[in-house]
Amino acid sequence: MPNLEHPAYPADALLQLESLVPCRESQVSLLLSIFGERQQFSFPSIFIYGHTSSGKTYVMQTLLNTLQLPHVFVNCVEYFTSRLLLEEILFQLQSCSSEAEQTSHVPCDNFNDFVRLFKQAVASQELQDQTLYIVLDRAEQLREMEANILPVFLRLQELTDRNVTVVLLSEIVWELFRPNTGCFEPFTLYFPDYSIGHLQKILSQNHPPEYSADFYAAYINILLGVFYMVCRDLRELQHLAALNFSKYCEPVVRGEANERDTRKLWKNIEPHLKKAMQTVYLREISSSQWERLQRDDGEPGQLKGLSAHTHVELPYYSKFLLIAAYLASYNPVRTDKRFFLKHHGKVRKTNFMKKHEKTSNHLLGPKPFPLDRLLAILYSIVDKRVSPTANIFSQITSLVTLQLLSIVGHNDQLDGPRYKCTVSLDFIRAIAR
Amino acid sequence: QHIQEDLNTQLFDNLVSFLRRSHSECQEKTTEWTCRMKSREIPAAALILGVNVMDHDLTLKSLSEVLQDNITPYIALLEAKDCPGIKNLMQKLMGQLMNCHIDVDSLEDEDYVQVSQNRIRCSMTSLVNWYKSVTKKTDSETPSKKRASSPRHGQSPPVVVIFKDMESFTTKVLQDFIVISSQHIHELPLVLIFGIATSPMVIHSLLPHSVSSLLCIELFQSLSCKEHLSTIIDKVLLTAQFPFKLGEKVLQVLINIFLYHDFSVQNFIKGFQLCIVEHFYSQPLSVLCCQLVEAKKRANSLSHDQCENIRRLPSFRRYVESQVSEKQVALLTADSVVKEVTQQLLEDLHVYHENYVSVLRCLHVFTSSLPKYPLGKQIRELHCACLENQVWETEEYDSSLQLARMLNKSDLVTMLQQCVEILVSSSGKEFDKTVEKLKEFLTQFQKLEAEAFQEQDVSISSQKELRKKTDLYHLQKTLLELKESRRSKKLTKFEMLRFEVVDYIDSLVRSYLVPADHKTLHEILYFNTASVLRAHLNAAPRTALHTALNNPYCYLKNQALKPDGGSISNKAPDICIVYKLHLECGRLINLVDWLEAFSTVVMAVEGPHADAASSDQVDDIIHARFIRAVSELELLGFIKPSKQKTDHVARLTWGGC
């Protein structure tokens, strides 16, 4: 295990840091060596990428906090325009050293202002002797802002002529960022996914104080055995571990088993966890409902998940409209005549339909159809005479807003809008019942 | 017409209280959520509201009112059309939250508003700052101000954000908003409420797993709109309280629109209001359509014209004809007699309504549990059937009585008990006897039960006897005998009673459920012109356009335009001529041919003498008129220029539709 060693920082802080970031020692030591000592100029921009929840944000935060480096931490999703982003950076910069001073709002519209204000801020805070770190989390959002923002952040050190390092955190690789005008290449650093051993270690670290570490580690072992196949997201696993732990402890609390009796505990928890995988993990039922369920020890069958309520109540003609739309989407035009003109008996019609659906039309997806065809099919499948009232037309648009149909093509065309049916066969079956 | 206003307010009161009931459960949950904010999940409620999007507005508004009263002053209601981007969403959210805060303690915050108005900087941080400042302030203020609601708010009232009609939000906006707010959930207790029209699956289809895992969703199903409708019908139509009634056909039209087109309760209410307005507008005697006491007073002060109006009513005429001759004369000549009789008849009508409603409910109790529902499952269907004609003459009624004669005892007893409850609770005076009768039936049933017990005892004892006997043949024989005798005896007694009950109900129905149009003066209270309503509510734009163009007399009322056979008159407006000509063409229309035909029609009358001058060259004026008419048709969407041939246009509509 590479111990963190760096001459510039006190040993106890490093030790604390090491305990806080398990399984990321090599990355941290690399970062530290890039950062150098406080007053040294560092690399102008660093790009860190890795899969979801591989600890990028966490490592950066703990690193900067424990070593008490001056830094600004901004989430690019939250500050969705460049203006908001820049203002937020300046705001944090102002408040980062002097809390007492009432910081006023500084309008900052473009990068020119930003560089000027940035220099002022740094000068007023006496930060010249230290490297300032600007961390931009979820940096992939930067690509959607103005075109100049990414290149400028990458060479901020050069532009401002101050000791500053920009750190970009992202889930995607640098190649997807590179603007076509070319820019300064940052130093890229990859955070690999945690392995199962790493996950085990990290999860077991924060065990509840009333139980021993070994006991919790055994629990985590079981949990990972169930969930590792479907989920490697550390945050999700933490969430699941917290939710199901009380159930695991139940036999111990009741005195039926002691903490060493892992086999018994395993038997107790395993079906429970499997159930959890089907429900909580998919967010079929919310975690608070799950907790209540555990407390009551009731049957989960009583609680219907989100997907259980698939039935949709629709008005009479809307149903027919939707069915007509479905038929129009999946049947080719040339069969219309055969289906809807010759046979008026309903039985024959359905037979034909079923035969047809077996062919590969369903694999091709819905096809667009014009409004007239939809109405023609509607008239033929409804037994009674339907008058084309405004209500029918407004129902079509309301089906579009419900996302059961979708408009294809340009909106501005008044004549002959084309639609697509976006619901599945099962849904239509449920409606046509 | 002041009753109309009363009625509307009553209607909305009903609605709101109704909604309140359905959402009370939701509130409790919200308060509960406020305690568990520890995780990074945002508590969220998915409210399934059904497809009637128009009603959502009302529902969510009343929900937010309820929440505002009980839980938190900070509520924002976001609509999809206001939020095309995350920026607009944040702006809207900030605006609503800060405004509602100002509303709540409209104090010295003038400068505060100024500040928030000036900086358009809408981000979550400023929101969090605002929230902190507000909570701090309310904390310091509460001891001095002593507001009633503040103790319930607790230290940090949650901020509720309601998304109306979640389907129409763009996915990106929602995702971003959820991610952002999950970052700040520790500082800002946020609760999201999603109004969902179709099914909760849309949450999963709209949000990827990484985002939906940030939510802690609980599901609430609001009542289905059909039930909603039945309660409204129950409360508004099936009471004697409101004098205004709907005729059978009108009600049928309204219900059909509701069931066939949009499950919108609001539209139903609007249609109902339209009926009220139409009734008061078109029926001169509708002044008498008010509460009974008032109506009597007004009947006393009727003018001569109004009395004449009454005499002209068909139902009144029938009534007059049934009287003896000298009374007929008096009724037809003296106004005072008419007034008196009118008062009498109005009172009759009122009593009739009271009885009608309760008997209808009784009948519904009976019919709603029959297999296959010959008279309909809902009380509104029964109501329609009763209004339409004499219900006991229909086949369905016969079959339902047949079925009722086959009911088993426990069902019958519970039904009778329900009927007794309904009748007792109703205000009619004539029901005392009925109630007694029904109670008598009940006691008889109980007696029967007791007898049955005794018989069972007997049979048990006889069985004991049987055991003593060893002869197999005898045993079989006696068993058979026993069974037969028991069945015949018991069933006859029970059956007789059952027949009696059903007959009695039948007689009740016959005496009380007379359709309203058989009653004298029903025109005053009943609105029965369904065709007017249908024309107003069921707009048919294409048909209207077709008639307008095909038969201009219908709208222009010009004698010269009266339709004459199939020929095209040249006096009609140009556009009508062009339209009729285009109906005869195929998909592609040659403009030159069309123009040719047009000029022929126009020239038809003045033709003979003008013909020589412009035989092969069409008059410039006619040309211009033609072009104008064609472009008007294009504007109306009947034709469009085609790209296949330059001098052709394409037809867009076909025949009947």
Side-chain angles (χ1 to χ4, degrees), chain B residues 478-492:
Chain B
T478 41
L479 254 179
L480 271 175
E481 269 173 19
L482 199 75
K483 232 182 216 168
E484 234 165 53
S485 68
R486 201 163 65 186
R487 190 189 285 155
S488 57
K489 219 169 89 187
K490 223 172 126 186
L491 283 193
T492 42

Side-chain angles (χ1 to χ4, degrees), chain A residues 75 77-81 84 87-88 91 105 138 141 144 235-236 239 281-289 291-292 305-307 309-318 371-372 375 379 384 388-393 395 401-404 413 415, chain B residues 29 32-33 36 40-41 48 51 53 86-87 90 121-125 167-168 172 176 179-180 183-184 197-201 204 206 209 212-213 215-219 221 224-225 257 259-263 537-543 640 652 657:
Chain A
N75 189 332
V77 180
E78 192 178 337
Y79 303 97
F80 38 85
T81 64
L84 278 177
E87 283 174 2
E88 178 63 24
F91 182 76
H105 175 69
R138 311 271 306 238
Q141 295 287 326
E144 282 157 34
R235 223 179 304 153
E236 197 71 10
H239 177 72
Y281 174 62
L282 295 174
R283 306 285 154 173
E284 290 283 293
I285 62 176
S286 68
S287 43
S288 65
Q289 278 172 321
E291 278 186 345
R292 216 175 309 137
L306 280 181
S307 57
H309 298 261
T310 41
H311 178 61
V312 178
E313 265 191 357
L314 284 174
Y316 184 75
Y317 281 140
S318 294
L371 175 67
D372 286 341
L375 289 176
Y379 296 144
K384 284 178 280 178
T389 59
N391 277 330
I392 296 269
F393 296 123
Q395 270 180 58
T401 52
L402 294 179
Q403 299 195 334
L404 298 174
Q413 202 176 24
D415 38 29
Chain B
K29 291 295 171 313
E32 190 184 299
W33 286 330
R36 42 163 287 116
R40 253 188 67 176
E41 294 185 325
I48 306 173
V51 292
V53 184
I86 181 78
K87 194 173 169 187
M90 292 304 289
R121 188 167 176 267
C122 294
S123 70
M124 215 58 183
T125 13
E167 278 92 343
S168 27
K172 179 122 193 346
D176 282 356
V179 168
I180 291 172
Q183 303 271 335
H184 290 278
T198 47
S199 70
M201 289 303 283
H204 289 291
L206 278 181
H209 183 254
S212 66
S213 64
L215 293 173
C216 170
I217 301 169
E218 285 201 36
L219 200 64
Q221 179 102 41
S224 96
C225 39
I257 288 178
L259 288 183
Y260 283 180
H261 293 295
D262 46 0
F263 275 159
L537 291 184
N538 245 354
R542 277 197 187 184
T543 326
K640 71 169 183 186
L652 289 171
C657 55

Side-chain angles (χ1 to χ4, degrees), chain A residues 311-319 391 394-395 398 402, chain B residues 49-56 59 197 223-229 232 254-269 380:
Chain A
H311 178 61
V312 178
E313 265 191 357
L314 284 174
Y316 184 75
Y317 281 140
S318 294
K319 279 183 190 171
N391 277 330
S394 67
Q395 270 180 58
S398 74
L402 294 179
Chain B
L49 293 167
V51 292
N52 41 344
V53 184
M54 287 196 268
D55 293 353
H56 292 188
T59 318
L223 275 174
S224 96
C225 39
K226 279 180 189 165
E227 290 166 40
H228 201 143
L229 178 77
I232 283 187
L254 281 181
I255 289 176
N256 276 354
I257 288 178
F258 179 82
L259 288 183
Y260 283 180
H261 293 295
D262 46 0
F263 275 159
S264 163
V265 176
Q266 214 170 358
N267 266 5
F268 183 82
I269 292 171
R380 58 166 186 262

